[in-house]
Amino acid sequence: MKVMLTGAAGQLGTDLARTLPRESTISLTHAELDIADSRSVRLAFERHAPDVVINTAAFHRVDDCEIEVERAFRMNAFALRALARACRESGAALVHFSTDYVFAGEKTQPYLETDRPGPLSVYGASKLCGEYFISATLEKYFLVRTCGLYGHGGSRAKGGNFVDTMQRLAAQGKPLRVVNDQVVTPTSTSDLASKISQLIQTEAYGLYHITNQGSCSWFEFARAIFEIEGVEPDLKPTTSEAFNAPARRPAYSVLLNQRLKLLGLDDMPAWKDALRRHLAANRKQPCAAQIGSGTLR
């Protein structure tokens, strides 16, 4: 099975490139393939003739999407329509990643794949539009909604992921104010990449929720990072209203891996176990926590 991976230098792309068989994976960075350029997409398909395309490319700076609306929809929606058409014409399957932000966060129980979306932000709306383009164009697709991603590759577009940002700011002795009224499931890109590697071996196409297990607020996530590391920074909870971010976030966006359970594949680790493993690996090697500047969500 020949896999073409887009956005290979990004946070999730980095772990997918490490996880997938190297000899049968074509890993393309944004500089090598811009999915919003239909000509480049066509040439990539002609050159590589993939059996599966795994797309991690997106415009995911949530607050910037509120201003750069056209760019958000170009990258997160219309580029996906062209990519799905190319997959359909070549017979390739498509794996694409969406977000918990397609939901309004009004539930108090985890969202199922069958629950009605209701995005609150331009980012969420653009990602949902991309979902609709794929499902309307292709039969062979894996649409994967996930939540709270962090990984060893960092997230260059955001200047580092949440874990990196917390560690960096704490090391600088800065006070940390993190929202305590948004409940999520932090998810390791390493765990997600391993599950995708399994999933593409099946022909169980469709929409999936894939996250680590359990839930916490962003404040509780930050507190867990420092508890595991034995650090005591100036960390206090705040509210979404006080944080006053341009884009509205759902108050509750925990996802249930229902379709994975039905396939017998839902062995995703608990979020805190995944975090411990991630932090232990960070101690052994330099990580993105030492560079850039990030967002506290």
Side-chain angles (χ1 to χ4, degrees):
M1 178 190 297
K2 186 186 290 187
V3 175
M4 186 169 75
L5 171 66
T6 73
Q11 180 169 242
L12 178 55
T14 298
D15 273 322
L16 281 163
R18 290 171 179 164
T19 302
L20 296 165
R22 185 169 299 180
E23 65 277 5
S24 58
T25 302
I26 302 103
S27 297
L28 302 175
T29 66
H30 177 72
E32 294 168 317
L33 176 60
D34 178 1
I35 66 165
D37 182 341
S38 58
R39 181 176 180 274
S40 294
V41 169
R42 184 176 67 255
L43 290 174
F45 273 78
E46 291 175 356
R47 179 179 180 183
H48 300 296
D51 301 302
V52 177
V53 176
I54 303 180
N55 177 55
T56 69
F59 182 36
H60 46 61
R61 296 201 301 270
V62 177
D63 291 324
D64 288 351
C65 286
E66 295 296 307
I67 300 169
E68 300 182 62
V69 177
E70 182 179 348
R71 182 182 177 188
F73 277 87
R74 182 173 70 250
M75 279 297 299
N76 297 338
F78 295 109
L80 268 297
R81 180 173 61 180
L83 192 60
R85 285 174 174 171
C87 286
R88 183 182 64 192
E89 291 168 4
S90 68
L94 175 62
V95 181
H96 177 67
F97 298 90
S98 191
T99 173
D100 55 312
Y101 281 19
V102 301
F103 293 113
E106 296 171 348
K107 289 185 68 175
T108 56
Q109 297 294 323
Y111 280 92
L112 306 177
E113 290 91 344
T114 52
D115 282 328
R116 184 190 297 266
L120 302 176
S121 63
V122 170
Y123 172 71
S126 68
K127 294 294 283 185
L128 183 60
C129 187
E131 290 187 16
Y132 289 156
F133 277 142
I134 290 170
S135 62
T137 304
L138 271 177
E139 293 183 359
K140 294 166 58 177
Y141 66 84
F142 298 96
L143 262 173
V144 178
R145 292 176 183 151
T146 190
C147 178
L149 291 183
Y150 65 92
H152 296 294
S155 179
R156 294 179 185 180
K158 294 182 178 181
N161 59 46
F162 184 84
V163 178
D164 297 342
T165 301
M166 291 292 98
Q167 291 184 292
R168 177 177 51 79
L169 294 179
Q172 293 172 358
K174 295 185 177 180
L176 303 175
R177 303 296 177 261
V178 183
V179 294
N180 200 31
D181 57 0
Q182 296 173 25
V183 179
V184 296
T185 299
T187 300
S188 159
T189 54
S190 176
D191 291 340
L192 179 57
S194 295
K195 188 54 57 181
I196 295 302
S197 182
Q198 283 184 296
L199 193 59
I200 61 175
Q201 302 301 321
T202 76
E203 294 185 356
Y205 302 118
L207 174 64
Y208 288 84
H209 290 174
I210 306 181
T211 69
N212 283 119
Q213 307 288 352
S215 63
C216 62
S217 70
W218 288 104
F219 170 76
E220 290 166 337
F221 185 24
R223 186 171 60 189
I225 294 167
F226 298 126
E227 286 176 350
I228 293 168
E229 292 294 89
V231 177
E232 297 183 6
D234 178 10
L235 173 67
K236 291 184 174 59
T238 188
T239 64
S240 299
E241 183 178 5
F243 201 74
N244 197 30
R248 290 179 63 198
R249 272 76 166 171
Y252 183 92
S253 57
V254 179
L255 307 177
L256 186 68
N257 304 338
Q258 181 68 15
R259 287 208 66 201
L260 278 186
K261 287 184 178 181
L262 294 175
L263 286 178
L265 293 178
D266 188 23
D267 56 355
M268 294 288 285
W271 72 264
K272 195 171 284 189
D273 292 339
L275 176 61
R276 289 191 185 96
R277 185 173 6 101
H278 174 85
L279 292 172
N282 272 0
R283 297 184 204 112
K284 297 178 182 178
Q285 60 186 19
C287 69
Q290 296 156 353
I291 63 173
S293 61
T295 174
L296 307 193
R297 199 72 173 186

